[in-house]
CSV table of all heavy atoms in Angstrom, one decimal:
chain,number,residue,atom,x,y,z
K,1,MET,N,0.8,-1.2,0.0
K,1,MET,CA,0.0,0.0,0.0
K,1,MET,C,0.9,1.3,0.0
K,1,MET,O,1.8,1.4,0.8
K,1,MET,CB,-0.9,0.0,1.2
K,1,MET,CG,-2.2,0.9,1.1
K,1,MET,SD,-3.2,0.3,-0.3
K,1,MET,CE,-4.8,0.7,0.4
K,2,THR,N,0.6,2.1,-0.9
K,2,THR,CA,1.4,3.3,-1.0
K,2,THR,C,0.7,4.4,-0.2
K,2,THR,O,-0.5,4.5,-0.2
K,2,THR,CB,1.6,3.8,-2.4
K,2,THR,OG1,1.9,2.6,-3.2
K,2,THR,CG2,2.6,4.8,-2.6
K,3,SER,N,1.5,5.2,0.4
K,3,SER,CA,0.9,6.3,1.2
K,3,SER,C,0.6,7.5,0.4
K,3,SER,O,1.3,7.6,-0.7
K,3,SER,CB,1.7,6.7,2.4
K,3,SER,OG,3.0,7.1,1.9
K,4,TRP,N,-0.2,8.3,0.8
K,4,TRP,CA,-0.4,9.6,0.0
K,4,TRP,C,0.7,10.6,0.2
K,4,TRP,O,1.1,10.7,1.2
K,4,TRP,CB,-1.8,10.2,0.5
K,4,TRP,CG,-3.0,9.4,0.2
K,4,TRP,CD1,-3.6,8.5,1.0
K,4,TRP,CD2,-3.7,9.4,-1.1
K,4,TRP,NE1,-4.7,7.9,0.3
K,4,TRP,CE2,-4.7,8.5,-1.0
K,4,TRP,CE3,-3.5,10.0,-2.3
K,4,TRP,CZ2,-5.6,8.2,-2.0
K,4,TRP,CZ3,-4.4,9.8,-3.4
K,4,TRP,CH2,-5.5,8.9,-3.2
K,5,GLN,N,1.1,11.1,-1.0
K,5,GLN,CA,2.1,12.2,-0.9
K,5,GLN,C,1.5,13.5,-1.4
K,5,GLN,O,0.7,13.5,-2.2
K,5,GLN,CB,3.2,11.8,-1.9
K,5,GLN,CG,4.1,10.6,-1.4
K,5,GLN,CD,5.2,10.4,-2.4
K,5,GLN,OE1,5.0,9.8,-3.4
K,5,GLN,NE2,6.4,10.9,-2.2
K,6,ARG,N,2.0,14.5,-0.8
K,6,ARG,CA,1.5,15.8,-1.2
K,6,ARG,C,2.0,16.2,-2.6
K,6,ARG,O,3.2,15.9,-2.9
K,6,ARG,CB,2.0,16.9,-0.3
K,6,ARG,CG,1.7,18.3,-0.7
K,6,ARG,CD,2.1,19.3,0.3
K,6,ARG,NE,1.9,20.6,-0.3
K,6,ARG,CZ,2.0,21.8,0.5
K,6,ARG,NH1,2.4,21.7,1.8
K,6,ARG,NH2,1.9,23.0,-0.1
K,7,VAL,N,1.1,16.6,-3.4
K,7,VAL,CA,1.4,16.9,-4.8
K,7,VAL,C,2.1,18.3,-4.8
K,7,VAL,O,1.7,19.2,-4.2
K,7,VAL,CB,0.2,17.0,-5.7
K,7,VAL,CG1,0.5,17.5,-7.1
K,7,VAL,CG2,-0.5,15.6,-5.9
K,8,VAL,N,3.3,18.3,-5.5
K,8,VAL,CA,3.9,19.6,-5.7
K,8,VAL,C,3.8,20.1,-7.1
K,8,VAL,O,4.0,19.4,-8.1
K,8,VAL,CB,5.5,19.3,-5.4
K,8,VAL,CG1,6.2,20.6,-5.6
K,8,VAL,CG2,5.7,18.9,-4.0
K,9,PHE,N,3.3,21.3,-7.2
K,9,PHE,CA,3.1,21.9,-8.5
K,9,PHE,C,4.3,22.6,-8.9
K,9,PHE,O,5.1,23.1,-8.0
K,9,PHE,CB,1.9,22.9,-8.4
K,9,PHE,CG,0.5,22.3,-8.1
K,9,PHE,CD1,0.1,22.0,-6.9
K,9,PHE,CD2,-0.3,21.9,-9.2
K,9,PHE,CE1,-1.1,21.4,-6.6
K,9,PHE,CE2,-1.5,21.3,-9.0
K,9,PHE,CZ,-1.9,21.1,-7.6
K,10,SER,N,4.6,22.8,-10.2
K,10,SER,CA,5.7,23.4,-10.6
K,10,SER,C,5.7,24.9,-10.1
K,10,SER,O,6.7,25.5,-9.9
K,10,SER,CB,5.8,23.4,-12.1
K,10,SER,OG,4.7,24.0,-12.7
K,11,ALA,N,4.5,25.4,-10.0
K,11,ALA,CA,4.4,26.9,-9.5
K,11,ALA,C,4.8,27.0,-8.0
K,11,ALA,O,5.0,28.1,-7.6
K,11,ALA,CB,2.9,27.3,-9.7
K,12,ASP,N,4.8,25.8,-7.3
K,12,ASP,CA,5.3,25.9,-5.9
K,12,ASP,C,6.8,26.0,-5.8
K,12,ASP,O,7.3,26.2,-4.7
K,12,ASP,CB,4.8,24.7,-5.1
K,12,ASP,CG,3.2,24.6,-5.0
K,12,ASP,OD1,2.6,25.7,-5.1
K,12,ASP,OD2,2.7,23.5,-4.9
K,13,CYS,N,7.5,25.7,-6.8
K,13,CYS,CA,9.0,25.6,-6.8
K,13,CYS,C,9.5,27.0,-6.7
K,13,CYS,O,8.9,28.0,-7.1
K,13,CYS,CB,9.5,24.9,-8.0
K,13,CYS,SG,8.9,23.2,-8.1
K,14,ASP,N,10.7,27.1,-6.1
K,14,ASP,CA,11.4,28.4,-6.0
K,14,ASP,C,11.8,28.9,-7.4
K,14,ASP,O,11.7,28.1,-8.4
K,14,ASP,CB,12.4,28.4,-4.9
K,14,ASP,CG,13.5,27.5,-5.3
K,14,ASP,OD1,13.7,27.2,-6.5
K,14,ASP,OD2,14.3,27.2,-4.4
K,15,GLU,N,12.5,30.1,-7.4
K,15,GLU,CA,12.9,30.6,-8.7
K,15,GLU,C,14.0,29.8,-9.3
K,15,GLU,O,14.2,29.9,-10.5
K,15,GLU,CB,13.3,32.0,-8.5
K,15,GLU,CG,14.5,32.2,-7.4
K,15,GLU,CD,14.7,33.6,-7.1
K,15,GLU,OE1,13.9,34.5,-7.4
K,15,GLU,OE2,15.7,33.9,-6.4
K,16,ASP,N,14.6,28.9,-8.6
K,16,ASP,CA,15.6,28.0,-9.2
K,16,ASP,C,15.0,26.8,-9.7
K,16,ASP,O,15.7,25.8,-10.2
K,16,ASP,CB,16.7,27.8,-8.2
K,16,ASP,CG,17.5,29.0,-7.9
K,16,ASP,OD1,17.7,29.9,-8.7
K,16,ASP,OD2,18.0,29.2,-6.7
K,17,GLY,N,13.7,26.4,-9.5
K,17,GLY,CA,13.0,25.3,-9.9
K,17,GLY,C,13.2,24.1,-8.9
K,17,GLY,O,13.1,23.0,-9.2
K,18,ASN,N,13.5,24.5,-7.7
K,18,ASN,CA,13.7,23.5,-6.7
K,18,ASN,C,12.4,23.2,-5.9
K,18,ASN,O,11.6,24.1,-5.7
K,18,ASN,CB,14.7,23.9,-5.6
K,18,ASN,CG,16.2,23.9,-6.2
K,18,ASN,OD1,16.5,23.1,-7.0
K,18,ASN,ND2,16.9,24.9,-5.9
K,19,CYS,N,12.2,21.9,-5.5
K,19,CYS,CA,11.0,21.5,-4.9
K,19,CYS,C,10.9,22.2,-3.5
K,19,CYS,O,11.9,22.1,-2.7
K,19,CYS,CB,10.9,20.0,-4.8
K,19,CYS,SG,9.6,19.3,-3.8
K,20,PRO,N,9.8,22.7,-3.1
K,20,PRO,CA,9.7,23.3,-1.7
K,20,PRO,C,9.7,22.2,-0.6
K,20,PRO,O,10.0,22.5,0.5
K,20,PRO,CB,8.4,24.0,-1.8
K,20,PRO,CG,7.6,23.4,-2.8
K,20,PRO,CD,8.6,22.9,-3.8
K,21,MET,N,9.4,21.0,-0.9
K,21,MET,CA,9.4,19.9,0.0
K,21,MET,C,10.8,19.3,0.2
K,21,MET,O,11.2,18.9,1.3
K,21,MET,CB,8.5,18.8,-0.4
K,21,MET,CG,7.0,19.3,-0.7
K,21,MET,SD,6.1,19.8,0.8
K,21,MET,CE,5.8,18.2,1.5
K,22,CYS,N,11.4,19.1,-0.9
K,22,CYS,CA,12.8,18.4,-0.8
K,22,CYS,C,14.0,19.3,-0.9
K,22,CYS,O,15.0,19.0,-0.4
K,22,CYS,CB,12.9,17.4,-2.0
K,22,CYS,SG,11.4,16.4,-2.3
K,23,GLY,N,13.8,20.5,-1.5
K,23,GLY,CA,14.9,21.4,-1.6
K,23,GLY,C,15.9,21.0,-2.7
K,23,GLY,O,16.9,21.6,-2.9
K,24,ILE,N,15.5,20.1,-3.6
K,24,ILE,CA,16.2,19.7,-4.8
K,24,ILE,C,15.5,19.9,-6.0
K,24,ILE,O,14.3,20.3,-6.0
K,24,ILE,CB,16.7,18.2,-4.7
K,24,ILE,CG1,15.4,17.3,-4.8
K,24,ILE,CG2,17.5,17.9,-3.4
K,24,ILE,CD1,15.8,15.8,-4.9
K,25,ASP,N,16.1,19.8,-7.1
K,25,ASP,CA,15.5,20.1,-8.4
K,25,ASP,C,14.1,19.3,-8.6
K,25,ASP,O,14.1,18.1,-8.4
K,25,ASP,CB,16.5,19.7,-9.6
K,25,ASP,CG,16.0,20.2,-10.9
K,25,ASP,OD1,14.9,19.9,-11.3
K,25,ASP,OD2,16.8,21.0,-11.5
K,26,TYR,N,13.2,20.0,-8.9
K,26,TYR,CA,11.8,19.5,-8.9
K,26,TYR,C,11.8,18.2,-9.9
K,26,TYR,O,11.0,17.3,-9.7
K,26,TYR,CB,10.9,20.6,-9.4
K,26,TYR,CG,9.4,20.1,-9.6
K,26,TYR,CD1,8.7,19.6,-8.6
K,26,TYR,CD2,8.8,20.4,-10.8
K,26,TYR,CE1,7.4,19.2,-8.8
K,26,TYR,CE2,7.4,20.0,-11.0
K,26,TYR,CZ,6.8,19.4,-10.0
K,26,TYR,OH,5.4,19.0,-10.2
K,27,ALA,N,12.6,18.3,-11.0
K,27,ALA,CA,12.5,17.3,-12.0
K,27,ALA,C,13.2,16.0,-11.4
K,27,ALA,O,13.0,14.9,-11.9
K,27,ALA,CB,13.3,17.7,-13.2
K,28,GLU,N,14.0,16.1,-10.3
K,28,GLU,CA,14.7,14.9,-9.9
K,28,GLU,C,14.2,14.4,-8.5
K,28,GLU,O,14.5,13.4,-8.0
K,28,GLU,CB,16.2,15.4,-9.6
K,28,GLU,CG,16.9,15.7,-11.0
K,28,GLU,CD,18.4,16.0,-10.8
K,28,GLU,OE1,18.9,15.8,-9.6
K,28,GLU,OE2,18.9,16.4,-11.8
K,29,CYS,N,13.3,15.3,-7.8
K,29,CYS,CA,12.8,14.8,-6.6
K,29,CYS,C,11.7,13.7,-6.8
K,29,CYS,O,11.2,13.6,-7.9
K,29,CYS,CB,12.3,16.0,-5.8
K,29,CYS,SG,10.6,16.5,-6.2
K,30,GLY,N,11.3,13.1,-5.7
K,30,GLY,CA,10.3,12.0,-5.9
K,30,GLY,C,8.9,12.5,-5.7
K,30,GLY,O,8.0,11.6,-5.7
K,31,CYS,N,8.6,13.8,-5.5
K,31,CYS,CA,7.3,14.2,-5.3
K,31,CYS,C,6.4,14.0,-6.5
K,31,CYS,O,6.8,14.3,-7.6
K,31,CYS,CB,7.3,15.7,-4.8
K,31,CYS,SG,8.1,16.0,-3.3
K,32,PRO,N,5.2,13.6,-6.4
K,32,PRO,CA,4.2,13.6,-7.5
K,32,PRO,C,3.8,14.9,-8.0
K,32,PRO,O,3.6,15.8,-7.2
K,32,PRO,CB,3.1,12.7,-7.0
K,32,PRO,CG,3.1,13.0,-5.5
K,32,PRO,CD,4.5,13.2,-5.2
K,33,GLY,N,3.7,15.0,-9.3
K,33,GLY,CA,3.1,16.2,-9.9
K,33,GLY,C,1.6,16.0,-10.1
K,33,GLY,O,1.0,15.0,-9.8
K,34,PRO,N,0.9,17.1,-10.6
K,34,PRO,CA,-0.5,17.1,-10.7
K,34,PRO,C,-1.1,16.3,-11.8
K,34,PRO,O,-2.2,16.0,-11.8
K,34,PRO,CB,-0.9,18.5,-10.8
K,34,PRO,CG,0.3,19.1,-11.4
K,34,PRO,CD,1.5,18.4,-10.9
K,35,THR,N,-0.2,15.8,-12.8
K,35,THR,CA,-0.7,15.1,-13.9
K,35,THR,C,0.2,13.9,-14.3
K,35,THR,O,0.7,13.7,-15.3
K,35,THR,CB,-0.8,16.0,-15.1
K,35,THR,OG1,0.5,16.5,-15.4
K,35,THR,CG2,-1.8,17.1,-15.0
K,36,MET,N,0.4,13.0,-13.2
K,36,MET,CA,1.2,11.9,-13.4
K,36,MET,C,0.5,10.6,-13.8
K,36,MET,O,-0.6,10.4,-13.3
K,36,MET,CB,1.9,11.6,-12.1
K,36,MET,CG,2.6,12.7,-11.5
K,36,MET,SD,4.4,12.8,-12.1
K,36,MET,CE,5.1,11.5,-11.2
K,37,ASP,N,1.0,10.0,-14.8
K,37,ASP,CA,0.4,8.7,-15.2
K,37,ASP,C,0.6,7.7,-14.1
K,37,ASP,O,1.6,7.6,-13.4
K,37,ASP,CB,1.0,8.1,-16.5
K,37,ASP,CG,0.6,9.0,-17.7
K,37,ASP,OD1,-0.5,9.6,-17.6
K,37,ASP,OD2,1.3,9.0,-18.7
K,38,GLY,N,-0.4,6.8,-13.9
K,38,GLY,CA,-0.2,5.7,-12.9
K,38,GLY,C,-0.5,6.2,-11.5
K,38,GLY,O,-0.2,5.5,-10.6
K,39,TYR,N,-0.9,7.5,-11.3
K,39,TYR,CA,-1.3,8.0,-10.0
K,39,TYR,C,-2.7,8.3,-9.9
K,39,TYR,O,-3.4,8.6,-10.8
K,39,TYR,CB,-0.5,9.3,-9.7
K,39,TYR,CG,1.0,9.0,-9.3
K,39,TYR,CD1,1.9,8.6,-10.2
K,39,TYR,CD2,1.3,9.3,-8.0
K,39,TYR,CE1,3.3,8.4,-9.8
K,39,TYR,CE2,2.7,9.1,-7.5
K,39,TYR,CZ,3.6,8.6,-8.5
K,39,TYR,OH,4.9,8.4,-8.1
K,40,GLU,N,-3.2,8.2,-8.7
K,40,GLU,CA,-4.6,8.6,-8.3
K,40,GLU,C,-4.4,9.8,-7.4
K,40,GLU,O,-3.5,9.9,-6.7
K,40,GLU,CB,-5.4,7.5,-7.8
K,40,GLU,CG,-4.9,7.0,-6.4
K,40,GLU,CD,-5.8,5.9,-5.9
K,40,GLU,OE1,-7.0,5.9,-6.2
K,40,GLU,OE2,-5.3,5.1,-5.1
K,41,TYR,N,-5.5,10.6,-7.4
K,41,TYR,CA,-5.4,11.9,-6.6
K,41,TYR,C,-6.6,12.0,-5.7
K,41,TYR,O,-7.6,11.5,-5.9
K,41,TYR,CB,-5.4,13.1,-7.6
K,41,TYR,CG,-4.2,13.1,-8.5
K,41,TYR,CD1,-4.1,12.4,-9.7
K,41,TYR,CD2,-3.1,13.8,-8.0
K,41,TYR,CE1,-3.0,12.4,-10.5
K,41,TYR,CE2,-1.9,13.8,-8.8
K,41,TYR,CZ,-1.8,13.1,-10.0
K,41,TYR,OH,-0.7,13.0,-10.7
K,42,ARG,N,-6.2,12.7,-4.6
K,42,ARG,CA,-7.4,13.0,-3.6
K,42,ARG,C,-7.0,14.2,-2.9
K,42,ARG,O,-5.8,14.5,-2.6
K,42,ARG,CB,-7.3,11.8,-2.6
K,42,ARG,CG,-8.3,12.0,-1.5
K,42,ARG,CD,-8.4,10.8,-0.6
K,42,ARG,NE,-9.1,9.7,-1.3
K,42,ARG,CZ,-9.3,8.5,-0.8
K,42,ARG,NH1,-8.9,8.3,0.4
K,42,ARG,NH2,-9.9,7.5,-1.5
K,43,TRP,N,-8.1,15.0,-2.6
K,43,TRP,CA,-7.9,16.2,-1.8
K,43,TRP,C,-8.0,15.8,-0.3
K,43,TRP,O,-8.9,15.2,0.1
K,43,TRP,CB,-8.9,17.2,-2.1
K,43,TRP,CG,-8.8,17.8,-3.5
K,43,TRP,CD1,-9.3,17.4,-4.7
K,43,TRP,CD2,-8.0,19.0,-3.8
K,43,TRP,NE1,-8.9,18.3,-5.7
K,43,TRP,CE2,-8.1,19.2,-5.1
K,43,TRP,CE3,-7.2,19.8,-3.0
K,43,TRP,CZ2,-7.4,20.3,-5.8
K,43,TRP,CZ3,-6.5,20.9,-3.6
K,43,TRP,CH2,-6.6,21.0,-5.0
K,44,ILE,N,-6.9,16.1,0.4
K,44,ILE,CA,-6.9,15.9,1.9
K,44,ILE,C,-6.6,17.2,2.6
K,44,ILE,O,-5.5,17.8,2.3
K,44,ILE,CB,-5.8,14.9,2.2
K,44,ILE,CG1,-6.1,13.5,1.6
K,44,ILE,CG2,-5.8,14.6,3.7
K,44,ILE,CD1,-5.0,12.5,1.7
K,45,ASN,N,-7.5,17.7,3.4
K,45,ASN,CA,-7.3,18.9,4.0
K,45,ASN,C,-7.0,20.1,3.1
K,45,ASN,O,-6.2,20.9,3.3
K,45,ASN,CB,-6.2,18.8,5.1
K,45,ASN,CG,-6.6,17.9,6.2
K,45,ASN,OD1,-7.8,17.8,6.6
K,45,ASN,ND2,-5.6,17.2,6.7
K,46,ASN,N,-7.7,20.0,1.9
K,46,ASN,CA,-7.6,21.1,0.9
K,46,ASN,C,-6.3,21.1,0.3
K,46,ASN,O,-5.9,22.1,-0.4
K,46,ASN,CB,-7.9,22.5,1.5
K,46,ASN,CG,-9.3,22.7,2.0
K,46,ASN,OD1,-10.3,22.2,1.3
K,46,ASN,ND2,-9.5,23.3,3.1
K,47,VAL,N,-5.5,20.0,0.4
K,47,VAL,CA,-4.2,19.9,-0.2
K,47,VAL,C,-4.3,18.7,-1.2
K,47,VAL,O,-4.8,17.6,-0.7
K,47,VAL,CB,-3.1,19.7,0.7
K,47,VAL,CG1,-1.8,19.5,0.0
K,47,VAL,CG2,-3.0,20.9,1.6
K,48,LEU,N,-3.9,18.8,-2.4
K,48,LEU,CA,-4.0,17.7,-3.4
K,48,LEU,C,-2.9,16.7,-3.1
K,48,LEU,O,-1.7,17.1,-2.9
K,48,LEU,CB,-3.9,18.2,-4.8
K,48,LEU,CG,-4.1,17.2,-5.9
K,48,LEU,CD1,-5.5,16.5,-5.8
K,48,LEU,CD2,-3.9,17.8,-7.2
K,49,HIS,N,-3.3,15.4,-2.9
K,49,HIS,CA,-2.3,14.4,-2.7
K,49,HIS,C,-2.4,13.4,-3.8
K,49,HIS,O,-3.4,13.3,-4.5
K,49,HIS,CB,-2.6,13.7,-1.3
K,49,HIS,CG,-2.2,14.5,-0.1
K,49,HIS,ND1,-2.8,15.7,0.3
K,49,HIS,CD2,-1.3,14.3,0.9
K,49,HIS,CE1,-2.3,16.2,1.4
K,49,HIS,NE2,-1.3,15.3,1.7
K,50,ALA,N,-1.4,12.6,-4.0
K,50,ALA,CA,-1.3,11.6,-4.9
K,50,ALA,C,-0.6,10.3,-4.4
K,50,ALA,O,0.2,10.4,-3.5
K,50,ALA,CB,-0.6,12.1,-6.2
K,51,ARG,N,-1.0,9.2,-5.0
K,51,ARG,CA,-0.3,8.0,-4.7
K,51,ARG,C,-0.3,7.1,-6.0
K,51,ARG,O,-1.2,7.2,-6.8
K,51,ARG,CB,-0.9,7.3,-3.5
K,51,ARG,CG,-2.2,6.6,-3.8
K,51,ARG,CD,-2.7,5.9,-2.5
K,51,ARG,NE,-4.1,5.4,-2.8
K,51,ARG,CZ,-4.8,4.7,-1.9
K,51,ARG,NH1,-4.2,4.6,-0.6
K,51,ARG,NH2,-5.9,4.2,-2.1
K,52,SER,N,0.7,6.3,-6.1
K,52,SER,CA,0.8,5.4,-7.2
K,52,SER,C,-0.3,4.3,-7.1
K,52,SER,O,-0.6,3.8,-6.1
K,52,SER,CB,2.2,4.7,-7.3
K,52,SER,OG,2.5,4.0,-6.2
K,53,ILE,N,-0.8,4.0,-8.3
K,53,ILE,CA,-1.8,3.0,-8.4
K,53,ILE,C,-1.2,1.6,-8.5
K,53,ILE,O,-0.4,1.4,-9.4
K,53,ILE,CB,-2.8,3.2,-9.5
K,53,ILE,CG1,-3.5,4.6,-9.3
K,53,ILE,CG2,-3.8,2.1,-9.7
K,53,ILE,CD1,-4.2,5.0,-10.7
K,54,GLU,N,-1.5,0.7,-7.5
K,54,GLU,CA,-0.9,-0.6,-7.6
K,54,GLU,C,-1.9,-1.7,-7.7
K,54,GLU,O,-1.6,-2.8,-7.3
K,54,GLU,CB,-0.1,-0.8,-6.3
K,54,GLU,CG,1.1,0.2,-6.2
K,54,GLU,CD,1.9,-0.3,-4.9
K,54,GLU,OE1,2.4,-1.3,-4.9
K,54,GLU,OE2,2.1,0.6,-4.1
K,55,ASP,N,-3.0,-1.3,-8.4
K,55,ASP,CA,-4.0,-2.3,-8.6
K,55,ASP,C,-3.5,-3.4,-9.6
K,55,ASP,O,-3.0,-3.1,-10.6
K,55,ASP,CB,-5.3,-1.7,-9.1
K,55,ASP,CG,-6.0,-1.0,-8.0
K,55,ASP,OD1,-5.9,-1.5,-6.9
K,55,ASP,OD2,-6.7,0.0,-8.3
K,56,ASP,N,-3.7,-4.7,-9.2
K,56,ASP,CA,-3.5,-5.6,-10.3
K,56,ASP,C,-4.6,-6.7,-10.0
K,56,ASP,O,-4.8,-7.1,-8.9
K,56,ASP,CB,-2.2,-6.3,-10.2
K,56,ASP,CG,-1.8,-6.7,-8.9
K,56,ASP,OD1,-2.5,-6.4,-7.9
K,56,ASP,OD2,-0.8,-7.4,-8.7
K,57,GLY,N,-5.2,-7.2,-11.0
K,57,GLY,CA,-6.3,-8.2,-10.8
K,57,GLY,C,-7.6,-7.7,-10.7
K,57,GLY,O,-8.7,-8.4,-10.8
K,58,SER,N,-7.7,-6.3,-10.5
K,58,SER,CA,-9.1,-5.8,-10.4
K,58,SER,C,-9.5,-5.1,-11.7
K,58,SER,O,-8.6,-5.0,-12.6
K,58,SER,CB,-9.0,-4.7,-9.3
K,58,SER,OG,-8.2,-3.6,-9.6
K,59,ASP,N,-10.7,-4.9,-11.8
K,59,ASP,CA,-11.2,-4.3,-13.1
K,59,ASP,C,-10.6,-3.0,-13.4
K,59,ASP,O,-10.4,-2.2,-12.5
K,59,ASP,CB,-12.7,-4.1,-13.0
K,59,ASP,CG,-13.5,-5.4,-13.0
K,59,ASP,OD1,-12.9,-6.4,-13.4
K,59,ASP,OD2,-14.7,-5.4,-12.5
K,60,ALA,N,-10.1,-2.8,-14.6
K,60,ALA,CA,-9.6,-1.6,-15.0
K,60,ALA,C,-10.6,-0.5,-15.0
K,60,ALA,O,-11.7,-0.7,-15.6
K,60,ALA,CB,-8.9,-1.7,-16.4
K,61,GLN,N,-10.4,0.5,-14.3
K,61,GLN,CA,-11.4,1.6,-14.2
K,61,GLN,C,-11.0,2.6,-15.3
K,61,GLN,O,-9.9,3.0,-15.4
K,61,GLN,CB,-11.4,2.2,-12.9
K,61,GLN,CG,-12.0,1.3,-11.8
K,61,GLN,CD,-12.1,1.9,-10.5
K,61,GLN,OE1,-11.3,2.8,-10.1
K,61,GLN,NE2,-13.1,1.6,-9.7
K,62,GLN,N,-12.1,3.0,-15.9
K,62,GLN,CA,-11.9,4.2,-16.8
K,62,GLN,C,-11.7,5.4,-16.0
K,62,GLN,O,-12.5,5.7,-15.0
K,62,GLN,CB,-13.1,4.3,-17.7
K,62,GLN,CG,-13.3,3.2,-18.7
K,62,GLN,CD,-12.3,3.3,-19.8
K,62,GLN,OE1,-11.8,4.4,-20.1
K,62,GLN,NE2,-12.0,2.2,-20.5
K,63,GLY,N,-10.8,6.2,-16.4
K,63,GLY,CA,-10.6,7.5,-15.7
K,63,GLY,C,-11.8,8.4,-15.9
K,63,GLY,O,-12.3,8.6,-17.0
K,64,THR,N,-12.3,8.9,-14.9
K,64,THR,CA,-13.3,9.9,-15.0
K,64,THR,C,-12.9,11.3,-14.7
K,64,THR,O,-12.2,11.5,-13.7
K,64,THR,CB,-14.4,9.6,-13.9
K,64,THR,OG1,-13.9,9.5,-12.6
K,64,THR,CG2,-15.0,8.2,-14.3
K,65,LYS,N,-13.1,12.2,-15.7
K,65,LYS,CA,-12.7,13.5,-15.5
K,65,LYS,C,-13.8,14.3,-14.7
K,65,LYS,O,-14.9,14.4,-15.0
K,65,LYS,CB,-12.6,14.1,-16.9
K,65,LYS,CG,-11.3,13.8,-17.5
K,65,LYS,CD,-11.0,14.6,-18.8
K,65,LYS,CE,-9.7,14.2,-19.4
K,65,LYS,NZ,-9.5,15.0,-20.7
K,66,ARG,N,-13.3,14.8,-13.6
K,66,ARG,CA,-14.2,15.6,-12.8
K,66,ARG,C,-13.7,17.0,-12.7
K,66,ARG,O,-12.5,17.2,-12.4
K,66,ARG,CB,-14.4,15.0,-11.4
K,66,ARG,CG,-15.4,13.9,-11.4
K,66,ARG,CD,-15.7,13.3,-10.0
K,66,ARG,NE,-14.5,12.6,-9.6
K,66,ARG,CZ,-14.5,12.1,-8.3
K,66,ARG,NH1,-15.4,12.3,-7.5
K,66,ARG,NH2,-13.4,11.4,-8.0
K,67,ALA,N,-14.5,18.0,-12.8
K,67,ALA,CA,-14.1,19.4,-12.6
K,67,ALA,C,-13.7,19.5,-11.1
K,67,ALA,O,-14.4,19.2,-10.2
K,67,ALA,CB,-15.2,20.3,-12.9
K,68,SER,N,-12.5,20.0,-10.9
K,68,SER,CA,-12.0,20.2,-9.5
K,68,SER,C,-11.6,21.6,-9.3
K,68,SER,O,-10.6,21.9,-8.8
K,68,SER,CB,-10.9,19.2,-9.2
K,68,SER,OG,-9.9,19.4,-10.0
K,69,GLY,N,-12.4,22.6,-9.8
K,69,GLY,CA,-12.0,23.9,-9.8
K,69,GLY,C,-12.5,24.7,-8.6
K,69,GLY,O,-12.5,26.0,-8.6
K,70,ARG,N,-13.0,24.0,-7.7
K,70,ARG,CA,-13.6,24.7,-6.5
K,70,ARG,C,-12.5,25.3,-5.6
K,70,ARG,O,-11.5,24.6,-5.3
K,70,ARG,CB,-14.5,23.8,-5.7
K,70,ARG,CG,-15.7,23.2,-6.4
K,70,ARG,CD,-16.5,22.4,-5.6
K,70,ARG,NE,-17.0,23.1,-4.5
K,70,ARG,CZ,-17.7,22.5,-3.5
K,70,ARG,NH1,-17.9,21.2,-3.5
K,70,ARG,NH2,-18.2,23.2,-2.5
K,71,GLY,N,-12.7,26.5,-5.2
K,71,GLY,CA,-11.7,27.1,-4.4
K,71,GLY,C,-12.3,27.8,-3.3
K,71,GLY,O,-11.9,28.6,-2.6
P,1,ZN,ZN1,10.1,17.0,-3.9
């Protein structure tokens, strides 16, 4: 079971492009981005989190696009 990780947006990075969570280059850190393949997303405490999908043997679910523009 993979735990939820906070999603880091590129806009959250500092002016050098470093991840605010890791302090290293956003492209090299392990934080999930907002549009990663193989990840599922959930809002937790108004913060978008992601975790990798490790389903095997279950029915493949069609991705459902839901508007999430509430602020
Ligand atoms: Zn990071």
Side-chain angles (χ1 to χ4, degrees):
M1 203 61 147
T2 313
S3 60
W4 292 96
Q5 289 181 277
R6 177 177 170 169
V7 171
V8 176
F9 296 85
S10 58
D12 293 336
C13 299
D14 65 18
E15 57 192 9
D16 294 325
N18 291 321
C19 173
M21 304 290 285
C22 310
I24 63 173
D25 193 300
Y26 179 57
E28 297 183 5
C29 81
C31 297
T35 56
M36 303 274 284
D37 285 337
Y39 278 72
E40 61 178 338
Y41 293 90
R42 174 174 292 177
W43 288 94
I44 301 173
N45 297 327
N46 293 321
V47 177
L48 186 60
H49 286 66
R51 69 178 179 182
S52 61
I53 299 170
E54 296 188 58
D55 286 329
D56 53 350
S58 62
D59 291 338
Q61 289 187 328
Q62 290 290 336
T64 55
K65 283 188 175 179
R66 280 186 288 178
S68 58
R70 299 180 64 186

